[in-house]
Amino acid sequence: MSRNRSHTQHSDHQITLDLGDNVPPTAPASAAKSEAVDHSGLLASLAQTDALLEQWQQAEWLRPLDVGFARLIGKLAEEQGEAPRPLVLLLAALASHQVGRGHVCIDLTNLLADAGTTLSLPPEEPRDTFTEPEATQRNQVKPEDLLAGITLSRFQSALASTCTVSDGSLTTPLVLNGTRLYLRRFWRYEQRIADGILQRLALPTPLADPASAPARTLSEALGQLFRSPEPVNYQKLACALAARNRFAVITGGPGTGKTTTVVNLLAALQSVAGQSPERSGRKFRIRLAAPTGKAAARLNESIGGAVSRLPLSGLPGNVVPADIPTRVTTLHRLLGSRPDTRKFRHNRDNPLLVDILVIDEASMVDVDLMASVFDALPASAQLILLGDKDQLASVDAGAVLGELCQRAVIAHYTPDTARWLAAITAEPVPDTLIDPNGRAMDQAVAMLRKSYRFEEGSGIRKLAEAVNTSALDSAVLRQIREAEFEDVVWLNGHQPKPDLEATLEQICRHAITGSPEAFRNAGQARVVNGKELPPPVGYRHYLERMQDQDLTETSPREEWDALALQVLEAFNDFQILCALRKGPWGVEGLNDRVARHLLAEKLIPRAEGWYAGRPVLVTGNDYNLGLMNGDIGITFRVPWDKTANGEARDTLRVAFPSGDSTGGIRWISPSRLQQLETVYAMTVHKSQGSEFNHTCLVLPDRLSPVLTRELIYTGITRARNWFSLITGNQDVLRDAVGQQVVRASGLALRLGEG
């Protein structure tokens, strides 16, 4: 089970519950009993159970929301003339707790088998994140002790005999599906996603017959778009597979060409549309979206170039560049977000006007948002998800892309699918990817398997692969300690348990310069794809770029915009990533320390409040300002305001990229920015959808539930050309790779049954 624990406080199930007719479902079959330990007295009365939940809340094991939800379940039962059951209230609180940790449900079987691991209670985060004394934590009754005498049949009997739980056929606040207990809203999300996928997979497609005219057009288009001499062109196979289905997933690691693949796919689909008599030559209406502003901006940057390189001349269907969209929007903007509500303007009653929707960085999309996507799509619209299945899952509940790609490595293509792919692409499908028992969902998932970004000798590539396959052995660790790779260095790899203060000082010095001297050949003369790279840098680089200018109040705004773009690009050359938010190893502590070191170096005028040079990260969507969660801006001092007598007066403005692929700048007054934080350091979660020339990953001095294989892999793969690692304890790196996120959900099971 997951050891990952979200720090986000959710308000997903505040009091908006419809009880319906409250007819209890039939109790599921019981399971074998486990040995009992006598803590049953704590579940003997509502008062004792409530007191226990209150203690767990005070110890920060549970959120106030979790305890409040349990109490609400008790009140709803009383309103229906039923005596509240302590065990049901306990499970309600735990189900809510699991949603806060990113799970869609709580699996009762896993809960009984290993409650401590399933719930991550008590929390195993570094002690400096606790607000309660360690003794208080130690004296709490742990869930595994409390539940040791409980059997699965007792769970199921209690849940079956209350009006607050049903099998989903009634509008009860809790839903029991097999051994999985859901908050009703999340059960409905999962159901809508599964239904949306299965309905699309079942739709007939004119491409099913390789001899049909549309299939021949697709084959001709793919033959022109892909002309590489590779033994197996997985991009071409992915395009064909995605073209055949109304729902498709294309997954792959960094540099495997997801953007190139989808642009070629869209060109091929437009070619088919242009030759289709049923469409009278009308091209598909295509929209591109990403979950965050940063992810959308990054795709904006890359997709325009990919479209410009398309060999469209002579492509069937008279495809022109304008047929392939290059503008990317956020999902919230696409769906029509409504302030102060989870509802969107586009839904089943007001669907999007779109034939094909492409969502990039789909690993960041939670079940709530994905369900809203399916609600807003016309029934016949094609949905294509792009993303890296091995990255961190969404901050909020669910791991949709990860579940859809559980079987992607071995593909499980049926012989019929393999024959179709070979007929359309003239590409052989390796025998290892063929499975006569492949499921319907398997036939819609394509995995890109060759990296074009990282060369064979790249340390970033080798380290990411070692982490992802749990092959982080002593040989790889020695290589990064000794800087044997050109692009990777473990700055304190020779210190098993370095001194805290000395390490934090090292992080700050590294943040200023980027420590080029620590890399092989001091980062000099490194050639990638025939081009020599500049050495790695730190934050001094962008701050000196800011200071190295002579613009005045008479300088045209275009020159200020050009400077801002240069500085933002320079800032993107280095970024510290952290696993934690709080404490000396977290973003809060490091942002403060780095700022004070930059002040000491006279690179910034102050270390608190607003000042020229302060980088900020937007932490919530602001549609009035056109800013999205994840946007990064830099604060400038500009001479644009006037005094009463008309003289120029310096004032602060924050420069953000326009986000519309035009290369423009938005200048916003700091007073208008409400949801933001300084961003010398950011969490690995916040870095998803971003890429930095030089990334420094900071790991704390002890293991935590948030430290997982997915987090380490995501941190490493945010680096484009240089990667540095600083740890508070050598063992934490290896131990973290041994922890994997497994979020409780029933989506994969639903799709497997389909």
Side-chain angles (χ1 to χ4, degrees), residues 520-662:
R520 190 204 294 181
N521 301 324
Q524 299 286 342
R526 182 178 167 217
V527 177
V528 175
N529 295 326
K531 182 180 179 182
E532 184 172 332
L533 297 178
V537 298
Y539 291 132
R540 182 191 298 273
H541 175 59
Y542 90 90
L543 289 166
E544 289 183 342
R545 182 70 60 88
M546 284 189 71
Q547 297 168 2
D548 186 22
Q549 55 86 19
D550 55 0
L551 299 182
T552 67
E553 68 273 14
T554 61
S555 300
R557 184 64 62 91
E558 291 78 10
E559 293 186 14
W560 284 97
D561 289 354
L563 173 65
L565 284 171
Q566 293 173 15
V567 171
L568 285 163
E569 183 178 351
F571 180 78
N572 210 43
D573 281 335
F574 179 78
Q575 182 63 58
I576 296 174
L577 301 182
C578 302
L580 306 177
R581 287 203 57 82
K582 297 181 180 179
W585 300 101
V587 294
E588 293 178 6
L590 285 179
N591 272 320
D592 179 64
R593 279 182 173 266
V594 170
R596 286 189 277 114
H597 275 71
L598 292 171
L599 175 63
E601 292 286 323
K602 296 183 170 43
L603 291 169
I604 56 176
R606 54 186 298 183
E608 297 177 346
W610 285 101
Y611 53 85
R614 182 190 178 191
V616 294
L617 174 75
V618 176
T619 57
N621 294 337
D622 189 327
Y623 295 99
N624 292 325
L625 296 179
L627 296 177
M628 298 293 117
N629 186 8
D631 285 350
I632 290 178
I634 305 291
T635 311
F636 285 76
R637 184 168 293 280
V638 295
W640 298 339
D641 282 4
K642 301 291 184 181
T643 63
N645 58 9
E647 296 179 357
R649 181 182 64 187
D650 285 353
T651 189
L652 294 176
R653 291 288 184 274
V654 185
F656 289 94
S658 60
D660 58 4
S661 72
T662 62

Side-chain angles (χ1 to χ4, degrees), residues 137 163 179 238 280 386 533 619 653 701 706:
Q137 305 284 336
C163 64
T179 61
S280 303
L386 302 179
L533 297 178
T619 57
R653 291 288 184 274
D701 58 355
V706 301

